Amino acid sequence: MKMLKNYLKTKRELVDSNIEYHLNKLEYPNVIAEGMRYSVLNGGKRLRPILLLMVLELFDKKIDLGLPIAVAIEMIHSYSLVHDDLPALDNDDYRRGKLTTHKKFGEAEAILIGDALLTHSFSVITDETKGVASDKLVKIIGMVSRYAGINGMIGGQTVDIESEKKKVSLETLKYIHENKTGKLIKLPVEIGAIISEATEEEYKALENYADGIGLAFQIKDDILDIEGDFEKIGKPIGSDLELEKTTYPSIFGIEKSKEILKEVISDAKRSLNIFPDEKIKVFLELADYIGIREN
Amino acid sequence: MKMLKNYLKTKRELVDSNIEYHLNKLEYPNVIAEGMRYSVLNGGKRLRPILLLMVLELFDKKIDLGLPIAVAIEMIHSYSLVHDDLPALDNDDYRRGKLTTHKKFGEAEAILIGDALLTHSFSVITDETKGVASDKLVKIIGMVSRYAGINGMIGGQTVDIESEKKKVSLETLKYIHENKTGKLIKLPVEIGAIISEATEEEYKALENYADGIGLAFQIKDDILDIEGDFEKIGKPIGSDLELEKTTYPSIFGIEKSKEILKEVISDAKRSLNIFPDEKIKVFLELADYIGIREN
């Protein structure tokens, strides 16, 4: 894990400095510019942008090709958290131990800050990406929009909200996982494959890997909500239970959920076996890490 | 005006049928798909999409080239109204005599419906536009994002909110007008010019026209808020006064504001005099119409 942790730290610093670079260009209105920076520069793990960079490295491509897109995806992830935290939605006061955006800047402002992050992400892609052909870029922008929209992240968020306080089927739970969190994890992996001109087989392998770690991430989240440590997670334990949410543990029980998690992770790892071992070390370690992470 | 009214009606029907076509493809989650349709298919004037089509016709281009982008711009306009109407922002219950989106679907849903419209607009551009080269499309998408974002519409909305209940300078008022409403009126005009490969001179002329009618639209709005007819406008009169908003009439008085409106409209018309008269009839009539409209 030491290799992985160093790798993630280096890449996280690179992503953070790029996020700062792009957001520091924004000045006025101050509350929106500040709010955008506050909402994105919050100590996040940067899993999504790093996945894009990992895929580019897998194909020996320069990571500069994908950095603006990676930053844009993190902006979209951040906007979704800003809106999710609003009083009308999850009504959360804290995220990662800091005040949520609406608590810090006001509710109207948080709505507009989220809107601004989502909107701005597209011009970061179009204006800052260098070295990717326009036809690829159009394809990538379409994918960003679809994966983040009604047939992706927003669809998942909506069904998640509609499913509170009621029992839902495993099928519905899978829809929520695949869309609310899954799509924005697949997105950078697939974009990395598009930029790198992966073969169909390679693309499919990476897509399966991304599906697997996305699901693992979510099952682990459900488990941490029961067995986690408040200090490490930075949010209250047991909120799923309180909201009577359907989760993997609520359907399968905690022990069976842990078994499923292990299987999902080992399937994700196996899907990459078409690549040379020495090229996919970090992918394999990341998959394992998702299963043992404590926050 | 009869020619103009017929023209606008024909184009509005074309735009509406295209909006329906694109939004009817969306099904699940039903509340988001329904909410998106409800929020966009609301009897709007479709000024923004029609402007794009007008510019394409000015250059004898097929309007099909710009229809998906025109629809996308209307989706962005609609999302901004959905979020603007929210309790944390303007807290409006009615728009054009119908319940606002959050009153009809709930507040959390309205936030997500707005997000979905904004997000989806980009895939309508990328996936549905035919016959526009990819490099142009990338340029257009960047422009959409900039004009709708922090340095455009969202910037204007923010400063507008911050300026309630206080006197602001003419400079600030101009910033609000240019960004909150102006940018989304310039956007389709400039995109039409890009698709049509307008010369620099033609582009500039159209930009000036769009700036003019955008400002005229806003000054007329301010005047209607004082002298308008509730039945025709479909919203309460005097809301600017109630919010102590700075407007053209509050700075210049109503008579002087009417004079400025006339000047702005005649300047807008004059800026198009590089084009043959018979090509710009509808542009000139539209400019006049903005000055005399009652809603």
Side-chain angles (χ1 to χ4, degrees), chain B residues 264-294:
Chain B
V264 169
I265 288 171
S266 88
D267 286 351
K269 289 162 71 178
R270 195 162 41 240
S271 63
L272 294 186
N273 63 15
I274 61 161
F275 295 102
D277 284 351
E278 73 276 12
K279 289 295 231 176
I280 53 169
K281 275 185 190 152
V282 66
F283 287 86
L284 303 184
E285 286 205 16
L286 178 65
D288 284 327
Y289 172 69
I290 287 172
I292 59 169
R293 72 196 169 94
E294 296 180 309

Tab-separated table of all heavy atoms in Angstrom, chain B residues 264-294:
chain	number	residue	atom	x	y	z
B	264	VAL	N	-31.526	53.231	-27.722
B	264	VAL	CA	-30.859	51.922	-27.744
B	264	VAL	C	-31.387	51.089	-28.906
B	264	VAL	O	-30.619	50.439	-29.637
B	264	VAL	CB	-31.076	51.183	-26.397
B	264	VAL	CG1	-30.639	49.727	-26.495
B	264	VAL	CG2	-30.327	51.892	-25.277
B	265	ILE	N	-32.701	51.124	-29.106
B	265	ILE	CA	-33.306	50.344	-30.194
B	265	ILE	C	-32.857	50.884	-31.555
B	265	ILE	O	-32.509	50.101	-32.452
B	265	ILE	CB	-34.847	50.345	-30.068
B	265	ILE	CG1	-35.247	49.456	-28.887
B	265	ILE	CG2	-35.506	49.851	-31.363
B	265	ILE	CD1	-36.711	49.526	-28.518
B	266	SER	N	-32.803	52.213	-31.684
B	266	SER	CA	-32.422	52.710	-33.014
B	266	SER	C	-30.937	52.464	-33.285
B	266	SER	O	-30.544	52.184	-34.421
B	266	SER	CB	-32.871	54.165	-33.216
B	266	SER	OG	-31.901	55.045	-32.757
B	267	ASP	N	-30.115	52.505	-32.230
B	267	ASP	CA	-28.697	52.133	-32.407
B	267	ASP	C	-28.558	50.666	-32.821
B	267	ASP	O	-27.738	50.320	-33.681
B	267	ASP	CB	-27.916	52.333	-31.098
B	267	ASP	CG	-27.664	53.810	-30.808
B	267	ASP	OD1	-27.941	54.647	-31.701
B	267	ASP	OD2	-27.204	54.127	-29.694
B	268	ALA	N	-29.349	49.810	-32.167
B	268	ALA	CA	-29.283	48.370	-32.482
B	268	ALA	C	-29.614	48.149	-33.952
B	268	ALA	O	-28.925	47.401	-34.662
B	268	ALA	CB	-30.245	47.585	-31.594
B	269	LYS	N	-30.663	48.822	-34.422
B	269	LYS	CA	-31.074	48.670	-35.825
B	269	LYS	C	-29.983	49.180	-36.768
B	269	LYS	O	-29.665	48.551	-37.776
B	269	LYS	CB	-32.387	49.416	-36.059
B	269	LYS	CG	-33.583	48.740	-35.393
B	269	LYS	CD	-34.778	49.651	-35.237
B	269	LYS	CE	-35.454	49.965	-36.553
B	269	LYS	NZ	-36.665	50.826	-36.334
B	270	ARG	N	-29.423	50.342	-36.402
B	270	ARG	CA	-28.418	50.946	-37.273
B	270	ARG	C	-27.179	50.058	-37.411
B	270	ARG	O	-26.515	50.044	-38.450
B	270	ARG	CB	-28.031	52.330	-36.760
B	270	ARG	CG	-27.280	53.178	-37.789
B	270	ARG	CD	-27.285	54.671	-37.445
B	270	ARG	NE	-27.078	54.877	-36.022
B	270	ARG	CZ	-27.956	55.490	-35.210
B	270	ARG	NH1	-29.093	55.961	-35.680
B	270	ARG	NH2	-27.681	55.641	-33.929
B	271	SER	N	-26.867	49.323	-36.343
B	271	SER	CA	-25.639	48.513	-36.405
B	271	SER	C	-25.703	47.438	-37.489
B	271	SER	O	-24.674	46.902	-37.891
B	271	SER	CB	-25.335	47.894	-35.039
B	271	SER	OG	-26.366	47.025	-34.669
B	272	LEU	N	-26.910	47.156	-37.977
B	272	LEU	CA	-27.036	46.118	-39.024
B	272	LEU	C	-27.004	46.685	-40.433
B	272	LEU	O	-27.216	45.950	-41.397
B	272	LEU	CB	-28.337	45.327	-38.827
B	272	LEU	CG	-28.424	44.467	-37.565
B	272	LEU	CD1	-29.693	43.645	-37.583
B	272	LEU	CD2	-27.212	43.540	-37.429
B	273	ASN	N	-26.730	48.013	-40.572
B	273	ASN	CA	-26.858	48.597	-41.910
B	273	ASN	C	-25.786	48.154	-42.916
B	273	ASN	O	-25.818	48.559	-44.066
B	273	ASN	CB	-26.982	50.128	-41.856
B	273	ASN	CG	-25.740	50.773	-41.270
B	273	ASN	OD1	-24.696	50.126	-41.168
B	273	ASN	ND2	-25.845	52.032	-40.888
B	274	ILE	N	-24.874	47.298	-42.481
B	274	ILE	CA	-23.923	46.721	-43.453
B	274	ILE	C	-24.569	45.592	-44.256
B	274	ILE	O	-24.019	45.132	-45.244
B	274	ILE	CB	-22.651	46.168	-42.778
B	274	ILE	CG1	-22.997	45.042	-41.783
B	274	ILE	CG2	-21.877	47.287	-42.063
B	274	ILE	CD1	-21.800	44.179	-41.438
B	275	PHE	N	-25.732	45.112	-43.792
B	275	PHE	CA	-26.425	44.032	-44.520
B	275	PHE	C	-27.467	44.621	-45.465
B	275	PHE	O	-28.005	45.705	-45.207
B	275	PHE	CB	-27.113	43.086	-43.529
B	275	PHE	CG	-26.170	42.338	-42.631
B	275	PHE	CD1	-25.985	42.738	-41.310
B	275	PHE	CD2	-25.463	41.235	-43.097
B	275	PHE	CE1	-25.121	42.049	-40.472
B	275	PHE	CE2	-24.594	40.545	-42.260
B	275	PHE	CZ	-24.425	40.957	-40.943
B	276	PRO	N	-27.797	43.916	-46.567
B	276	PRO	CA	-28.850	44.402	-47.483
B	276	PRO	C	-30.192	44.523	-46.732
B	276	PRO	O	-30.533	43.637	-45.943
B	276	PRO	CB	-28.944	43.299	-48.544
B	276	PRO	CG	-27.740	42.438	-48.367
B	276	PRO	CD	-27.258	42.606	-46.979
B	277	ASP	N	-30.924	45.590	-47.008
B	277	ASP	CA	-32.193	45.856	-46.323
B	277	ASP	C	-33.132	44.650	-46.305
B	277	ASP	O	-33.735	44.339	-45.280
B	277	ASP	CB	-32.931	47.025	-47.013
B	277	ASP	CG	-32.296	48.361	-46.661
B	277	ASP	OD1	-31.419	48.366	-45.760
B	277	ASP	OD2	-32.650	49.376	-47.279
B	278	GLU	N	-33.261	44.003	-47.459
B	278	GLU	CA	-34.268	42.938	-47.553
B	278	GLU	C	-33.910	41.709	-46.709
B	278	GLU	O	-34.761	40.870	-46.451
B	278	GLU	CB	-34.510	42.548	-49.026
B	278	GLU	CG	-33.393	41.755	-49.697
B	278	GLU	CD	-32.272	42.659	-50.244
B	278	GLU	OE1	-32.253	43.877	-49.909
B	278	GLU	OE2	-31.404	42.149	-50.982
B	279	LYS	N	-32.628	41.668	-46.259
B	279	LYS	CA	-32.186	40.524	-45.461
B	279	LYS	C	-32.431	40.724	-43.964
B	279	LYS	O	-32.382	39.761	-43.189
B	279	LYS	CB	-30.678	40.305	-45.666
B	279	LYS	CG	-30.304	39.763	-47.021
B	279	LYS	CD	-30.863	38.378	-47.194
B	279	LYS	CE	-29.830	37.379	-47.638
B	279	LYS	NZ	-30.426	36.030	-47.702
B	280	ILE	N	-32.638	41.955	-43.564
B	280	ILE	CA	-32.652	42.209	-42.113
B	280	ILE	C	-33.998	42.728	-41.618
B	280	ILE	O	-34.114	43.175	-40.479
B	280	ILE	CB	-31.536	43.213	-41.707
B	280	ILE	CG1	-31.633	44.492	-42.549
B	280	ILE	CG2	-30.164	42.570	-41.806
B	280	ILE	CD1	-30.755	45.615	-42.033
B	281	LYS	N	-35.024	42.615	-42.478
B	281	LYS	CA	-36.355	43.113	-42.079
B	281	LYS	C	-36.791	42.590	-40.721
B	281	LYS	O	-37.253	43.336	-39.866
B	281	LYS	CB	-37.395	42.707	-43.129
B	281	LYS	CG	-37.478	43.676	-44.290
B	281	LYS	CD	-38.610	43.276	-45.234
B	281	LYS	CE	-38.515	44.097	-46.517
B	281	LYS	NZ	-39.081	43.384	-47.665
B	282	VAL	N	-36.665	41.293	-40.540
B	282	VAL	CA	-37.167	40.690	-39.306
B	282	VAL	C	-36.341	41.148	-38.087
B	282	VAL	O	-36.881	41.329	-36.993
B	282	VAL	CB	-37.231	39.143	-39.445
B	282	VAL	CG1	-35.855	38.560	-39.582
B	282	VAL	CG2	-37.981	38.518	-38.303
B	283	PHE	N	-35.061	41.399	-38.291
B	283	PHE	CA	-34.222	41.926	-37.205
B	283	PHE	C	-34.702	43.312	-36.773
B	283	PHE	O	-34.762	43.630	-35.589
B	283	PHE	CB	-32.756	42.024	-37.650
B	283	PHE	CG	-32.049	40.711	-37.759
B	283	PHE	CD1	-32.113	39.952	-38.923
B	283	PHE	CD2	-31.311	40.223	-36.693
B	283	PHE	CE1	-31.456	38.739	-39.027
B	283	PHE	CE2	-30.646	39.005	-36.791
B	283	PHE	CZ	-30.717	38.259	-37.956
B	284	LEU	N	-35.016	44.142	-37.771
B	284	LEU	CA	-35.433	45.516	-37.469
B	284	LEU	C	-36.803	45.517	-36.786
B	284	LEU	O	-37.009	46.222	-35.788
B	284	LEU	CB	-35.480	46.348	-38.758
B	284	LEU	CG	-34.171	46.403	-39.566
B	284	LEU	CD1	-34.323	47.350	-40.765
B	284	LEU	CD2	-32.985	46.844	-38.699
B	285	GLU	N	-37.704	44.709	-37.308
B	285	GLU	CA	-39.036	44.654	-36.694
B	285	GLU	C	-38.966	44.092	-35.273
B	285	GLU	O	-39.681	44.537	-34.380
B	285	GLU	CB	-39.981	43.802	-37.549
B	285	GLU	CG	-40.404	44.515	-38.818
B	285	GLU	CD	-41.758	44.001	-39.346
B	285	GLU	OE1	-42.489	43.327	-38.594
B	285	GLU	OE2	-42.061	44.278	-40.516
B	286	LEU	N	-38.095	43.119	-35.082
B	286	LEU	CA	-37.957	42.546	-33.747
B	286	LEU	C	-37.458	43.597	-32.752
B	286	LEU	O	-37.957	43.681	-31.618
B	286	LEU	CB	-36.993	41.347	-33.761
B	286	LEU	CG	-36.744	40.699	-32.408
B	286	LEU	CD1	-38.017	40.051	-31.860
B	286	LEU	CD2	-35.631	39.654	-32.482
B	287	ALA	N	-36.492	44.397	-33.185
B	287	ALA	CA	-35.977	45.449	-32.307
B	287	ALA	C	-37.102	46.415	-31.923
B	287	ALA	O	-37.262	46.765	-30.749
B	287	ALA	CB	-34.831	46.199	-32.989
B	288	ASP	N	-37.896	46.823	-32.911
B	288	ASP	CA	-39.023	47.703	-32.616
B	288	ASP	C	-40.021	47.036	-31.672
B	288	ASP	O	-40.545	47.653	-30.756
B	288	ASP	CB	-39.747	48.104	-33.915
B	288	ASP	CG	-38.960	49.165	-34.675
B	288	ASP	OD1	-38.301	49.992	-34.010
B	288	ASP	OD2	-38.998	49.160	-35.923
B	289	TYR	N	-40.270	45.770	-31.944
B	289	TYR	CA	-41.255	45.028	-31.147
B	289	TYR	C	-40.861	44.986	-29.661
B	289	TYR	O	-41.716	45.113	-28.772
B	289	TYR	CB	-41.411	43.604	-31.687
B	289	TYR	CG	-42.263	42.735	-30.808
B	289	TYR	CD1	-43.632	42.963	-30.679
B	289	TYR	CD2	-41.697	41.702	-30.061
B	289	TYR	CE1	-44.416	42.183	-29.855
B	289	TYR	CE2	-42.474	40.914	-29.230
B	289	TYR	CZ	-43.834	41.157	-29.133
B	289	TYR	OH	-44.598	40.396	-28.292
B	290	ILE	N	-39.561	44.833	-29.400
B	290	ILE	CA	-39.096	44.785	-28.009
B	290	ILE	C	-39.464	46.074	-27.270
B	290	ILE	O	-39.805	46.051	-26.093
B	290	ILE	CB	-37.574	44.503	-27.960
B	290	ILE	CG1	-37.334	43.029	-28.322
B	290	ILE	CG2	-36.982	44.825	-26.588
B	290	ILE	CD1	-35.889	42.650	-28.500
B	291	GLY	N	-39.459	47.177	-28.014
B	291	GLY	CA	-39.801	48.449	-27.392
B	291	GLY	C	-41.281	48.642	-27.115
B	291	GLY	O	-41.649	49.388	-26.200
B	292	ILE	N	-42.140	47.962	-27.906
B	292	ILE	CA	-43.576	48.207	-27.736
B	292	ILE	C	-44.325	47.032	-27.121
B	292	ILE	O	-45.526	47.094	-26.879
B	292	ILE	CB	-44.253	48.551	-29.098
B	292	ILE	CG1	-44.050	47.407	-30.098
B	292	ILE	CG2	-43.727	49.873	-29.668
B	292	ILE	CD1	-44.896	47.545	-31.364
B	293	ARG	N	-43.602	45.944	-26.862
B	293	ARG	CA	-44.280	44.751	-26.326
B	293	ARG	C	-44.950	45.055	-24.999
B	293	ARG	O	-44.527	45.924	-24.244
B	293	ARG	CB	-43.274	43.608	-26.154
B	293	ARG	CG	-42.301	43.825	-25.011
B	293	ARG	CD	-41.111	42.892	-25.105
B	293	ARG	NE	-40.088	43.300	-24.148
B	293	ARG	CZ	-39.974	42.792	-22.906
B	293	ARG	NH1	-40.807	41.876	-22.487
B	293	ARG	NH2	-39.023	43.230	-22.095
B	294	GLU	N	-46.008	44.307	-24.730
B	294	GLU	CA	-46.753	44.512	-23.473
B	294	GLU	C	-46.542	43.372	-22.492
B	294	GLU	O	-47.095	43.394	-21.401
B	294	GLU	CB	-48.247	44.679	-23.787
B	294	GLU	CG	-48.528	45.937	-24.607
B	294	GLU	CD	-50.007	46.095	-24.920
B	294	GLU	OE1	-50.602	45.120	-25.427
B	294	GLU	OE2	-50.548	47.172	-24.651
